[in-house]
């Protein structure tokens, strides 16, 4: 959430930044007008409360002097009634102001390139060379079906479309991947591992920015909880409404969770196979740090995700995301895209975002540089390390052999117990 003070003091600059995003769903002038109204109402009620306090202190003395206080009590009653009316106006204005502020996206960093779609993203670097096949290669959904390790039809029977049943070496490969990701994140890159709840309350979703704007993209449980779309939600909210000491920063957290997304807006796009599922596994990385360190930490976060792909031997590229593809909460974002032969292009496997203080303001996440210093808002970052199903799909496609088998990447062999996946 943006700071209303920042909006007031930098209105023209923020308008220009939002124009870069192409956002038209909110009115910054209306937000400032509401804040003006709120401030005037608060002044009005403060004057009346001050008068009421002064007058109420006079009454005991007047009674002691034997004077009639009927008129004074009537004036106090009148003031009290007016204060209640104005307080109610303040409450309504504050609710409307909060409603509007919660729907304003983050301000893009000046280094975010201008653009409307993912076609306008800027390639930063590539790693590895896409494999050149000397046979007719297959898509991962056909490889998995032929090897009898992925079953889409029975998953659809159990639940519905865009769910997958992993079987035998398919299940082992999925488990090997997220164990490898966690072991690397914790052992090599220094993250602290968590197993968080797979459901969260509305306040947690407000804190990370999924609510209220994206409620239709989530699965809601009857008791009011939501199934998490990413471990970013519980990990970022671990310290919600806390004030952290400066010397514990940065905090580096990681977790494996299943993720649930209805993804209403993506019907008909990439819906075959493992790339876009309603339920998928992911290992997430979250950083909480001081503002001046957040862009250094973003580079580290991105490097951590890249390292995982390098260890798997999967060709990928890093792109800097443009304004139109930035997303609601990010001020700056890199995407890591892995090469998928069946798509003949790179496909997103990790997004590494710096949200600056946008989420921290919503979640009440602050820190103090010293015991006597003023509390400041932290900066929060998040990135996939990595999306497990997409990593599995990339392995099946990039490591497939002419006989239909799939070579297991060397780093996964201790987890898998086999070097090659073949059909039983």
């Amino acid at each position: 959430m943006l700071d209303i003070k920042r909006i007031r003091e930098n209105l023209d600059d923020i308008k220009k930044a939002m124009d870069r995003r192409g956002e038209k769903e909110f009115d910054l002038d209306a937000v400032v007008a509401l804040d003006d109204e709120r401030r005037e109402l608060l002044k009005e009620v403060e004057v009346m409360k001050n008068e009421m306090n002064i007058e109420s202190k006079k009454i005991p003395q007047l009674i002691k002097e034997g004077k009639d206080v009927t008129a004074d009590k009537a004036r106090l009653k009148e003031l009290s009634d007016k204060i209640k009316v104005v307080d109610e106006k303040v409450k309504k204005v504050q609710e409307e102001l909060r409603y509007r502020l919660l729907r304003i996206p983050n301000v893009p960093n000046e280094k975010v390139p201008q653009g409307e779609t993912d076609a306008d993203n800027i390639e930063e670097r590539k790693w590895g060379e896409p494999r050149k096949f000397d046979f007719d290669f297959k898509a991962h959904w056909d490889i998995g079906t032929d090897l009898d390790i992925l079953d889409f039809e029975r998953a659809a029977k159990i639940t519905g479309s865009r769910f997958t049943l992993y079987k035998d070496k398919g299940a082992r490969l999925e488990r090997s991947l997220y164990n490898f990701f966690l072991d690397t994140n914790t052992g090599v890159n220094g993250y602290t591992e968590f197993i968080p709840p797979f459901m969260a309350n509305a306040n947690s979703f407000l804190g990370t920015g999924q609510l209220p704007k994206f409620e239709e993209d989530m699965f809601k449980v009857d008791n009011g909880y939501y199934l998490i779309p990413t471990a970013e939600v519980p990990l970022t909210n671990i310290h919600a409404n806390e004030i952290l000491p400066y010397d514990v920063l940065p905090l580096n957290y990681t977790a494996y969770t299943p993720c649930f997304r209805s993804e209403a807006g993506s019907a008909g796009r990439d819906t075959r196979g493992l790339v876009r599922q309603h339920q998928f596994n992911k290992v997430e990385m979250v950083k909480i740090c001081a503002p001046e360190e957040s862009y250094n930490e973003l580079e580290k976060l991105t490097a951590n995700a890249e390292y995982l792909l390098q260890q798997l031997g999967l060709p990928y590229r890093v792109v800097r995301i443009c304004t139109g593809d930035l997303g609601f909460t990010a001020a700056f974002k890199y995407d890591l895209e892995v090469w998928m032969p069946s798509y003949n292009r790179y496909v997103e496997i990790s997004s590494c975002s710096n949200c600056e203080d946008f989420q921290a303001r919503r979640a009440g996440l602050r820190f103090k540089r010293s015991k006597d210093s003023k509390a400041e808002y932290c900066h929060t970052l998040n990135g996939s390390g990595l999306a497990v199903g997409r990593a599995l799909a990339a392995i099946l496609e990039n490591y497939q052999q002419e006989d239909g088998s799939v070579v297991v990447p060397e780093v996964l062999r201790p987890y898998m117990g086999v070097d090659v996946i073949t059909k039983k």
Side-chain angles (χ1 to χ4, degrees):
M1 185 163 65
L2 300 185
D3 181 9
I4 185 60
K5 182 180 179 182
R6 178 185 180 189
I7 295 175
R8 292 185 66 89
E9 295 177 354
N10 305 277
L11 183 59
D12 290 340
D13 290 340
I14 291 179
K15 280 183 177 180
K16 291 176 182 177
M18 292 307 183
D19 285 343
R20 292 186 66 217
R21 270 183 169 271
E23 294 280 352
K24 305 295 183 184
E25 297 179 10
F26 52 87
D27 186 343
L28 289 172
D29 288 322
V31 168
V32 173
L34 278 169
D35 190 49
D36 286 339
E37 183 179 358
R38 179 186 68 88
R39 288 152 68 101
E40 288 302 315
L41 287 169
L42 288 173
K43 287 179 184 178
E44 181 183 345
V45 80
E46 184 62 29
V47 169
M48 289 190 292
K49 286 179 178 179
N50 187 52
E51 182 183 350
M52 187 173 180
N53 184 49
I54 292 170
E55 293 300 322
S56 64
K57 289 180 178 178
K58 291 180 181 179
I59 290 178
Q61 183 62 31
L62 291 173
I63 293 174
K64 188 176 180 181
E65 294 172 0
K67 295 181 179 179
D68 184 6
V69 295
T70 303
D72 299 273
K73 288 184 176 180
R75 175 58 180 160
L76 288 178
K77 177 67 167 60
E78 180 186 359
L79 282 170
S80 177
D81 290 342
K82 286 183 177 179
I83 288 169
K84 287 178 182 177
V85 171
V86 178
D87 278 343
E88 187 61 31
K89 287 182 182 178
V90 170
K91 181 180 177 183
K92 288 181 179 179
V93 170
Q94 286 179 330
E95 287 174 352
E96 176 66 15
L97 180 59
R98 178 173 170 78
Y99 175 89
R100 289 177 177 268
L101 284 171
L102 286 172
R103 285 159 176 79
I104 299 173
N106 206 347
V107 177
N109 182 280
E110 60 183 12
K111 293 184 179 180
V112 174
Q114 185 67 36
E116 296 181 2
T117 69
D118 56 8
D120 300 313
N121 295 336
I122 295 177
E123 182 177 287
E124 294 283 328
R125 55 188 174 273
K126 285 183 178 178
W127 186 92
E129 289 293 329
R131 179 181 172 188
K132 291 180 172 58
F133 292 88
D134 56 5
F135 59 89
D136 292 333
F137 60 83
K138 300 177 183 177
H140 68 272
W141 51 84
D142 290 327
I143 299 169
T145 301
D146 292 345
L147 288 173
D148 196 25
I149 61 174
L150 299 177
D151 195 326
F152 301 100
E153 290 185 5
R154 288 191 174 95
K157 178 177 67 175
I158 295 168
T159 309
S161 62
R162 293 164 70 182
F163 289 87
T164 303
L165 185 67
Y166 293 79
K167 178 182 177 183
D168 192 40
K169 293 298 188 296
R172 176 69 68 85
L173 181 56
E174 181 89 353
R175 178 158 54 91
S176 297
L177 277 165
Y178 61 71
N179 280 330
F180 165 66
F181 294 159
L182 287 171
D183 288 347
T184 305
N185 288 347
T186 57
V188 177
N189 296 327
Y191 288 75
T192 300
E193 182 181 353
F194 288 86
I195 300 178
F198 300 160
M199 292 186 286
N201 57 35
N203 282 339
S204 294
F205 279 80
L206 279 168
T208 46
Q210 284 80 13
L211 285 178
K213 188 174 174 65
F214 303 106
E215 185 168 12
E216 66 178 17
D217 292 331
M218 297 182 294
F219 290 105
K220 187 176 182 179
V221 185
D222 287 342
N223 61 9
Y225 297 150
Y226 296 84
L227 299 178
I228 61 171
T230 164
E232 170 197 343
V233 175
L235 290 180
T236 305
N237 280 282
I238 288 174
H239 299 290
N241 300 312
E242 294 182 19
I243 299 177
L244 301 169
Y246 175 74
D247 58 8
V248 306
L249 301 179
L251 295 172
N252 301 305
Y253 292 164
T254 190
Y256 152 76
T257 65
C259 303
F260 306 89
R261 298 182 188 178
S262 65
E263 294 190 294
S266 61
R269 181 188 177 198
D270 296 340
T271 56
R272 193 173 184 187
L274 299 174
V275 168
R276 199 171 292 276
Q277 297 268 284
H278 289 313
Q279 175 187 319
F280 58 96
N281 293 317
K282 184 155 70 79
V283 173
E284 187 74 0
M285 301 178 293
V286 164
K287 286 177 174 280
I288 300 170
C289 66
E292 66 274 12
E293 292 298 326
S294 65
Y295 279 93
N296 289 332
E297 292 299 328
L298 177 62
E299 297 303 321
K300 293 177 183 178
L301 180 75
T302 306
N304 296 156
E306 288 186 69
Y307 181 74
L308 296 169
L309 288 169
Q310 292 168 9
Q311 292 298 295
L312 291 172
L314 293 172
Y316 69 88
R317 69 173 187 164
V318 179
V319 295
R320 183 159 33 118
I321 301 301
C322 72
T323 51
D325 197 32
L326 189 58
F328 185 75
T329 62
F332 188 99
K333 180 165 68 172
Y334 293 118
D335 270 5
L336 275 63
E337 299 177 345
V338 67
W339 178 255
M340 295 287 287
S342 70
Y343 288 73
N344 194 35
R345 61 178 172 85
Y346 292 93
V347 175
E348 178 201 332
I349 195 168
S350 175
S351 290
C352 297
S353 302
N354 185 354
C355 300
E356 297 186 356
D357 66 357
F358 187 81
Q359 292 179 326
R361 288 184 177 278
R362 298 168 76 106
L365 179 50
R366 297 179 292 169
F367 75 99
K368 279 190 173 186
R369 297 181 186 273
S370 66
K371 184 179 178 181
D372 299 322
S373 64
K374 183 180 177 182
E376 303 173 48
Y377 284 102
C378 301
H379 279 197
T380 63
L381 303 90
N382 61 78
S384 306
L386 299 164
V388 183
R390 293 190 181 194
L392 186 146
I395 288 170
L396 294 184
E397 292 199 6
N398 285 282
Y399 282 92
Q400 63 180 295
Q401 304 300 301
E402 188 172 9
D403 64 1
S405 64
V406 173
V407 174
V408 176
E410 188 172 349
V411 291
L412 296 181
R413 292 174 189 175
Y415 297 89
M416 286 290 295
V418 297
D419 296 351
V420 181
I421 300 174
T422 58
K423 187 173 182 179
K424 282 188 175 180

